[in-house]
Amino acid sequence: MANLQLIDSVVTITFYTYRAGFGWLGFLAMGWLRLPLTFNRKVAFWKLMGVGQSGFQPHGDSRKWAVLIVWRGEPDENTWWQQCMRATAEAKSFYLQPLFGHGLWDGVDPFASTISTSTPSSRIAVLTRASIRWSKVKLFWANVPAVASDLSNSFHPEFSI
């Protein structure tokens, strides 16, 4: 995954929500999905993610998981693993056209060759990922209430997962 040579790529993020009591299936899926994603030639980059709770809670929602994929060409939407995931959880996918990226994931800039030069004419989603230094944890959590309030005021229910 270190060298991304993409020409016509598509970025998708799919959120899976498991029924109450079945979040452990998502946890297992985050382990076994590594194999089919790694060996799928149409997948240029992938990241398996937990999903946080509303309002910046210090722990995630064990029933919600996400898969971010940069595809080579058109997405392969009917793979066996995607059908398996849909059978066990509600799935909601979004097709993304990256406008800007900053930083690396595992030493790779996954969006480098997918950045659009066009001006967005529709809604914009922001995907953030960060590590907090221990020396800054207190400052971070002190600022969470104000940021959470701003986010809840700008929330759009159409994009609820």
Side-chain angles (χ1 to χ4, degrees), residues 29-34 37 46-50 65-68:
M30 293 299 111
W32 68 261
L33 274 178
R34 296 172 185 281
L37 289 168
W46 55 270
K47 208 35 109 172
L48 304 169
M49 301 176 280
W65 302 86
V67 180
L68 175 76

Side-chain angles (χ1 to χ4, degrees), residues 120-136:
S121 61
S122 59
R123 293 183 177 96
I124 296 175
V126 177
L127 175 66
T128 60
R129 180 195 171 280
S131 299
I132 304 167
R133 292 188 180 111
W134 279 109
S135 63
K136 302 290 183 182

